[in-house]
Short mmCIF file of all heavy atoms in Angstrom, two decimals:
data_model
loop_
_atom_site.label_atom_id
_atom_site.label_comp_id
_atom_site.label_asym_id
_atom_site.label_seq_id
_atom_site.Cartn_x
_atom_site.Cartn_y
_atom_site.Cartn_z
N LEU A 102 42.80 6.56 -13.03
CA LEU A 102 41.54 5.85 -13.14
C LEU A 102 41.76 4.34 -13.15
O LEU A 102 41.11 3.59 -12.42
CB LEU A 102 40.81 6.26 -14.43
CG LEU A 102 40.01 7.57 -14.42
CD1 LEU A 102 39.56 7.90 -15.84
CD2 LEU A 102 38.82 7.45 -13.51
N ASP A 103 42.70 3.91 -13.96
CA ASP A 103 42.99 2.48 -14.06
C ASP A 103 43.59 1.94 -12.75
O ASP A 103 43.33 0.81 -12.37
CB ASP A 103 43.96 2.22 -15.22
CG ASP A 103 43.34 2.56 -16.57
OD1 ASP A 103 42.09 2.51 -16.66
OD2 ASP A 103 44.09 2.89 -17.50
N ALA A 104 44.38 2.78 -12.08
CA ALA A 104 45.03 2.34 -10.84
C ALA A 104 44.00 2.02 -9.76
O ALA A 104 44.22 1.12 -8.94
CB ALA A 104 46.00 3.41 -10.35
N LEU A 105 42.87 2.74 -9.74
CA LEU A 105 41.84 2.46 -8.74
C LEU A 105 41.34 1.03 -8.87
O LEU A 105 41.04 0.37 -7.87
CB LEU A 105 40.66 3.43 -8.91
CG LEU A 105 40.83 4.82 -8.30
CD1 LEU A 105 39.64 5.70 -8.69
CD2 LEU A 105 40.95 4.74 -6.79
N GLY A 106 41.26 0.54 -10.10
CA GLY A 106 40.79 -0.82 -10.31
C GLY A 106 41.82 -1.87 -9.94
O GLY A 106 41.47 -3.03 -9.74
N GLU A 107 43.06 -1.49 -9.86
CA GLU A 107 44.12 -2.44 -9.54
C GLU A 107 44.31 -2.63 -8.04
O GLU A 107 44.99 -3.55 -7.61
CB GLU A 107 45.44 -1.97 -10.17
CG GLU A 107 45.41 -1.97 -11.70
CD GLU A 107 46.63 -1.31 -12.30
OE1 GLU A 107 47.49 -0.85 -11.51
OE2 GLU A 107 46.74 -1.25 -13.54
N VAL A 108 43.70 -1.75 -7.26
CA VAL A 108 43.82 -1.85 -5.80
C VAL A 108 42.87 -2.93 -5.29
O VAL A 108 41.65 -2.77 -5.34
CB VAL A 108 43.49 -0.50 -5.12
CG1 VAL A 108 43.58 -0.63 -3.61
CG2 VAL A 108 44.46 0.58 -5.62
N ASP A 109 43.42 -4.03 -4.83
CA ASP A 109 42.61 -5.15 -4.35
C ASP A 109 42.26 -4.92 -2.89
O ASP A 109 42.73 -5.63 -2.00
CB ASP A 109 43.36 -6.47 -4.54
CG ASP A 109 42.47 -7.66 -4.23
OD1 ASP A 109 41.24 -7.47 -4.19
OD2 ASP A 109 43.00 -8.76 -4.02
N ASP A 110 41.43 -3.92 -2.65
CA ASP A 110 41.06 -3.57 -1.28
C ASP A 110 39.60 -3.15 -1.28
O ASP A 110 39.24 -2.08 -1.79
CB ASP A 110 41.94 -2.42 -0.77
CG ASP A 110 41.59 -2.03 0.66
OD1 ASP A 110 40.70 -2.69 1.25
OD2 ASP A 110 42.18 -1.07 1.17
N PRO A 111 38.71 -3.98 -0.74
CA PRO A 111 37.28 -3.67 -0.76
C PRO A 111 36.92 -2.42 0.04
O PRO A 111 35.82 -1.92 -0.07
CB PRO A 111 36.63 -4.92 -0.15
CG PRO A 111 37.71 -5.55 0.66
CD PRO A 111 38.99 -5.25 -0.07
N THR A 112 37.85 -1.93 0.86
CA THR A 112 37.55 -0.76 1.69
C THR A 112 38.12 0.53 1.10
O THR A 112 38.12 1.56 1.76
CB THR A 112 38.13 -0.95 3.11
OG1 THR A 112 39.57 -0.95 3.03
CG2 THR A 112 37.63 -2.23 3.72
N ARG A 113 38.60 0.48 -0.16
CA ARG A 113 39.28 1.66 -0.71
C ARG A 113 38.34 2.86 -0.88
O ARG A 113 38.81 3.98 -1.01
CB ARG A 113 39.93 1.33 -2.05
CG ARG A 113 39.01 0.87 -3.17
CD ARG A 113 39.86 0.42 -4.35
NE ARG A 113 39.14 -0.06 -5.50
CZ ARG A 113 38.64 -1.26 -5.65
NH1 ARG A 113 38.75 -2.13 -4.65
NH2 ARG A 113 38.02 -1.63 -6.75
N PHE A 114 37.02 2.63 -0.86
CA PHE A 114 36.07 3.73 -0.94
C PHE A 114 35.32 3.92 0.38
O PHE A 114 34.23 4.48 0.39
CB PHE A 114 35.05 3.47 -2.07
CG PHE A 114 35.64 3.53 -3.44
CD1 PHE A 114 35.53 2.44 -4.30
CD2 PHE A 114 36.31 4.65 -3.88
CE1 PHE A 114 36.07 2.48 -5.58
CE2 PHE A 114 36.86 4.70 -5.16
CZ PHE A 114 36.74 3.62 -6.00
N ARG A 115 35.93 3.46 1.47
CA ARG A 115 35.24 3.48 2.76
C ARG A 115 34.84 4.89 3.17
O ARG A 115 33.77 5.10 3.76
CB ARG A 115 36.13 2.86 3.84
CG ARG A 115 35.54 2.95 5.25
CD ARG A 115 36.37 2.17 6.25
NE ARG A 115 36.21 0.73 6.06
CZ ARG A 115 36.93 -0.17 6.73
NH1 ARG A 115 37.85 0.21 7.59
NH2 ARG A 115 36.72 -1.46 6.53
N GLU A 116 35.66 5.88 2.86
CA GLU A 116 35.37 7.26 3.26
C GLU A 116 34.58 8.02 2.20
O GLU A 116 34.39 9.23 2.32
CB GLU A 116 36.68 8.00 3.55
CG GLU A 116 37.56 7.33 4.60
CD GLU A 116 36.85 7.20 5.94
OE1 GLU A 116 36.11 8.15 6.31
OE2 GLU A 116 37.02 6.16 6.61
N VAL A 117 34.11 7.32 1.18
CA VAL A 117 33.41 7.97 0.07
C VAL A 117 31.92 7.66 0.16
O VAL A 117 31.53 6.53 0.40
CB VAL A 117 33.96 7.46 -1.29
CG1 VAL A 117 33.19 8.05 -2.45
CG2 VAL A 117 35.44 7.81 -1.41
N ASP A 118 31.09 8.69 -0.04
CA ASP A 118 29.64 8.50 -0.02
C ASP A 118 29.10 8.13 -1.40
O ASP A 118 28.26 7.25 -1.53
CB ASP A 118 28.94 9.79 0.45
CG ASP A 118 29.23 10.09 1.91
OD1 ASP A 118 29.46 9.14 2.68
OD2 ASP A 118 29.24 11.27 2.28
N VAL A 119 29.57 8.83 -2.41
CA VAL A 119 29.07 8.62 -3.77
C VAL A 119 30.23 8.61 -4.75
O VAL A 119 31.08 9.51 -4.71
CB VAL A 119 28.07 9.72 -4.19
CG1 VAL A 119 27.50 9.42 -5.57
CG2 VAL A 119 26.94 9.86 -3.18
N VAL A 120 30.27 7.61 -5.61
CA VAL A 120 31.23 7.55 -6.71
C VAL A 120 30.46 7.88 -7.99
O VAL A 120 29.41 7.29 -8.24
CB VAL A 120 31.88 6.16 -6.80
CG1 VAL A 120 32.75 6.05 -8.05
CG2 VAL A 120 32.71 5.89 -5.55
N MET A 121 30.97 8.82 -8.77
CA MET A 121 30.24 9.26 -9.96
C MET A 121 31.07 9.04 -11.23
O MET A 121 32.27 9.30 -11.25
CB MET A 121 29.88 10.74 -9.84
CG MET A 121 28.77 10.98 -8.83
SD MET A 121 28.62 12.72 -8.35
CE MET A 121 29.84 12.82 -7.04
N THR A 122 30.41 8.55 -12.25
CA THR A 122 31.06 8.36 -13.53
C THR A 122 30.02 8.51 -14.63
O THR A 122 28.87 8.83 -14.37
CB THR A 122 31.77 6.99 -13.59
OG1 THR A 122 32.59 6.93 -14.74
CG2 THR A 122 30.76 5.85 -13.61
N THR A 123 30.44 8.27 -15.88
CA THR A 123 29.53 8.44 -17.02
C THR A 123 29.23 7.10 -17.67
O THR A 123 29.92 6.11 -17.43
CB THR A 123 30.15 9.38 -18.08
OG1 THR A 123 31.33 8.75 -18.63
CG2 THR A 123 30.53 10.72 -17.48
N TYR A 124 28.21 7.10 -18.51
CA TYR A 124 27.84 5.87 -19.21
C TYR A 124 29.01 5.36 -20.04
O TYR A 124 29.27 4.16 -20.09
CB TYR A 124 26.62 6.12 -20.10
CG TYR A 124 25.34 6.25 -19.33
CD1 TYR A 124 24.80 7.51 -19.03
CD2 TYR A 124 24.65 5.13 -18.89
CE1 TYR A 124 23.62 7.63 -18.32
CE2 TYR A 124 23.47 5.24 -18.17
CZ TYR A 124 22.96 6.50 -17.89
OH TYR A 124 21.80 6.61 -17.16
N GLY A 125 29.70 6.27 -20.71
CA GLY A 125 30.81 5.87 -21.55
C GLY A 125 31.95 5.25 -20.77
O GLY A 125 32.61 4.30 -21.25
N MET A 126 32.20 5.74 -19.55
CA MET A 126 33.31 5.22 -18.75
C MET A 126 33.00 3.86 -18.14
O MET A 126 33.91 3.08 -17.85
CB MET A 126 33.66 6.22 -17.65
CG MET A 126 34.23 7.54 -18.14
SD MET A 126 35.76 7.36 -19.08
CE MET A 126 36.87 6.76 -17.82
N VAL A 127 31.72 3.55 -17.94
CA VAL A 127 31.37 2.28 -17.30
C VAL A 127 31.87 1.10 -18.11
O VAL A 127 32.34 0.09 -17.57
CB VAL A 127 29.84 2.19 -17.09
CG1 VAL A 127 29.43 0.77 -16.71
CG2 VAL A 127 29.39 3.15 -16.02
N THR A 128 31.78 1.20 -19.44
CA THR A 128 32.25 0.09 -20.27
C THR A 128 33.77 -0.04 -20.24
O THR A 128 34.30 -1.11 -20.54
CB THR A 128 31.79 0.29 -21.73
OG1 THR A 128 32.25 1.56 -22.21
CG2 THR A 128 30.28 0.26 -21.82
N ARG A 129 34.45 1.01 -19.86
CA ARG A 129 35.92 0.96 -19.79
C ARG A 129 36.39 0.49 -18.42
O ARG A 129 37.35 -0.27 -18.31
CB ARG A 129 36.48 2.36 -20.08
CG ARG A 129 37.97 2.44 -19.87
CD ARG A 129 38.51 3.84 -20.06
NE ARG A 129 39.88 3.93 -19.53
CZ ARG A 129 40.57 5.06 -19.45
NH1 ARG A 129 40.03 6.19 -19.88
NH2 ARG A 129 41.79 5.07 -18.95
N LEU A 130 35.73 0.95 -17.36
CA LEU A 130 36.17 0.62 -15.99
C LEU A 130 35.50 -0.67 -15.53
O LEU A 130 34.57 -0.67 -14.73
CB LEU A 130 35.82 1.78 -15.05
CG LEU A 130 36.39 3.15 -15.43
CD1 LEU A 130 35.90 4.23 -14.47
CD2 LEU A 130 37.92 3.12 -15.44
N GLU A 131 35.98 -1.79 -16.02
CA GLU A 131 35.35 -3.08 -15.73
C GLU A 131 35.41 -3.43 -14.25
O GLU A 131 34.58 -4.20 -13.75
CB GLU A 131 36.01 -4.18 -16.56
CG GLU A 131 35.81 -4.01 -18.07
CD GLU A 131 36.41 -5.15 -18.85
OE1 GLU A 131 36.97 -6.08 -18.21
OE2 GLU A 131 36.32 -5.13 -20.09
N TRP A 132 36.37 -2.86 -13.52
CA TRP A 132 36.49 -3.17 -12.09
C TRP A 132 35.32 -2.66 -11.28
O TRP A 132 35.12 -3.08 -10.13
CB TRP A 132 37.80 -2.62 -11.53
CG TRP A 132 38.01 -1.15 -11.70
CD1 TRP A 132 38.68 -0.54 -12.71
CD2 TRP A 132 37.55 -0.11 -10.83
NE1 TRP A 132 38.67 0.82 -12.54
CE2 TRP A 132 37.98 1.12 -11.39
CE3 TRP A 132 36.83 -0.08 -9.65
CZ2 TRP A 132 37.72 2.35 -10.81
CZ3 TRP A 132 36.55 1.14 -9.05
CH2 TRP A 132 36.99 2.34 -9.63
N LEU A 133 34.49 -1.78 -11.86
CA LEU A 133 33.29 -1.33 -11.15
C LEU A 133 32.37 -2.51 -10.84
O LEU A 133 31.58 -2.46 -9.88
CB LEU A 133 32.53 -0.29 -11.98
CG LEU A 133 33.21 1.07 -12.18
CD1 LEU A 133 32.40 1.91 -13.16
CD2 LEU A 133 33.39 1.81 -10.86
N GLN A 134 32.48 -3.58 -11.64
CA GLN A 134 31.64 -4.75 -11.44
C GLN A 134 32.08 -5.60 -10.26
O GLN A 134 31.36 -6.50 -9.83
CB GLN A 134 31.64 -5.61 -12.71
CG GLN A 134 31.12 -4.89 -13.94
CD GLN A 134 31.25 -5.72 -15.20
OE1 GLN A 134 31.20 -6.96 -15.16
NE2 GLN A 134 31.41 -5.07 -16.35
N THR A 135 33.25 -5.33 -9.70
CA THR A 135 33.76 -6.13 -8.58
C THR A 135 33.25 -5.63 -7.24
O THR A 135 33.49 -6.26 -6.21
CB THR A 135 35.30 -6.12 -8.57
OG1 THR A 135 35.77 -4.78 -8.28
CG2 THR A 135 35.85 -6.58 -9.91
N ILE A 136 32.57 -4.49 -7.22
CA ILE A 136 32.11 -3.87 -5.99
C ILE A 136 30.60 -4.00 -5.89
O ILE A 136 29.88 -3.84 -6.87
CB ILE A 136 32.51 -2.37 -5.94
CG1 ILE A 136 34.03 -2.22 -5.98
CG2 ILE A 136 31.92 -1.68 -4.71
CD1 ILE A 136 34.50 -0.78 -6.09
N THR A 137 30.09 -4.31 -4.71
CA THR A 137 28.66 -4.28 -4.45
C THR A 137 28.32 -2.92 -3.87
O THR A 137 28.63 -2.63 -2.71
CB THR A 137 28.23 -5.40 -3.49
OG1 THR A 137 28.55 -6.67 -4.07
CG2 THR A 137 26.73 -5.33 -3.24
N TRP A 138 27.71 -2.06 -4.67
CA TRP A 138 27.39 -0.70 -4.26
C TRP A 138 26.14 -0.68 -3.40
O TRP A 138 25.30 -1.58 -3.48
CB TRP A 138 27.20 0.17 -5.50
CG TRP A 138 28.35 0.10 -6.46
CD1 TRP A 138 28.48 -0.73 -7.53
CD2 TRP A 138 29.57 0.85 -6.39
NE1 TRP A 138 29.69 -0.54 -8.15
CE2 TRP A 138 30.38 0.43 -7.48
CE3 TRP A 138 30.05 1.86 -5.55
CZ2 TRP A 138 31.64 0.98 -7.72
CZ3 TRP A 138 31.30 2.41 -5.79
CH2 TRP A 138 32.07 1.97 -6.87
N ASP A 139 26.00 0.35 -2.59
CA ASP A 139 24.79 0.46 -1.78
C ASP A 139 23.61 0.81 -2.68
O ASP A 139 22.59 0.13 -2.70
CB ASP A 139 24.94 1.52 -0.69
CG ASP A 139 23.68 1.68 0.13
OD1 ASP A 139 23.17 0.64 0.60
OD2 ASP A 139 23.18 2.82 0.27
N MET A 140 23.73 1.89 -3.44
CA MET A 140 22.72 2.28 -4.41
C MET A 140 23.38 2.48 -5.76
O MET A 140 24.49 3.02 -5.83
CB MET A 140 22.00 3.57 -3.99
CG MET A 140 21.18 3.47 -2.73
SD MET A 140 20.38 5.06 -2.30
CE MET A 140 19.09 5.11 -3.55
N LEU A 141 22.73 2.04 -6.80
CA LEU A 141 23.19 2.27 -8.17
C LEU A 141 22.16 3.19 -8.82
O LEU A 141 20.99 2.82 -8.97
CB LEU A 141 23.30 0.95 -8.92
CG LEU A 141 23.63 1.01 -10.41
CD1 LEU A 141 24.92 1.80 -10.65
CD2 LEU A 141 23.73 -0.38 -10.99
N ILE A 142 22.58 4.39 -9.19
CA ILE A 142 21.66 5.42 -9.67
C ILE A 142 22.01 5.78 -11.10
O ILE A 142 23.16 6.10 -11.41
CB ILE A 142 21.76 6.69 -8.79
CG1 ILE A 142 21.53 6.33 -7.32
CG2 ILE A 142 20.76 7.74 -9.25
CD1 ILE A 142 22.04 7.38 -6.35
N LEU A 143 21.02 5.72 -11.98
CA LEU A 143 21.19 6.12 -13.37
C LEU A 143 20.45 7.42 -13.62
O LEU A 143 19.23 7.48 -13.45
CB LEU A 143 20.65 5.05 -14.33
CG LEU A 143 21.21 3.63 -14.22
CD1 LEU A 143 20.66 2.78 -15.36
CD2 LEU A 143 22.73 3.62 -14.22
N ASP A 144 21.17 8.46 -14.00
CA ASP A 144 20.54 9.71 -14.40
C ASP A 144 20.30 9.66 -15.91
O ASP A 144 21.16 9.19 -16.66
CB ASP A 144 21.45 10.90 -14.04
CG ASP A 144 20.71 12.22 -14.09
OD1 ASP A 144 19.49 12.22 -14.33
OD2 ASP A 144 21.35 13.27 -13.89
#
Side-chain angles (χ1 to χ4, degrees):
L102 279 171
D103 295 334
L105 279 174
E107 295 172 359
V108 178
D109 188 17
D110 180 2
T112 67
R113 61 188 180 278
F114 292 123
R115 175 173 288 174
E116 303 301 322
V117 176
D118 293 331
V119 183
V120 173
M121 288 165 275
T122 191
T123 65
Y124 286 99
M126 293 300 294
V127 168
T128 56
R129 173 184 166 186
L130 304 176
E131 296 183 1
W132 57 266
L133 293 173
Q134 300 175 30
T135 66
I136 299 173
T137 299
W138 307 93
D139 178 51
M140 295 179 73
L141 174 55
I142 305 161
L143 303 187
D144 195 4

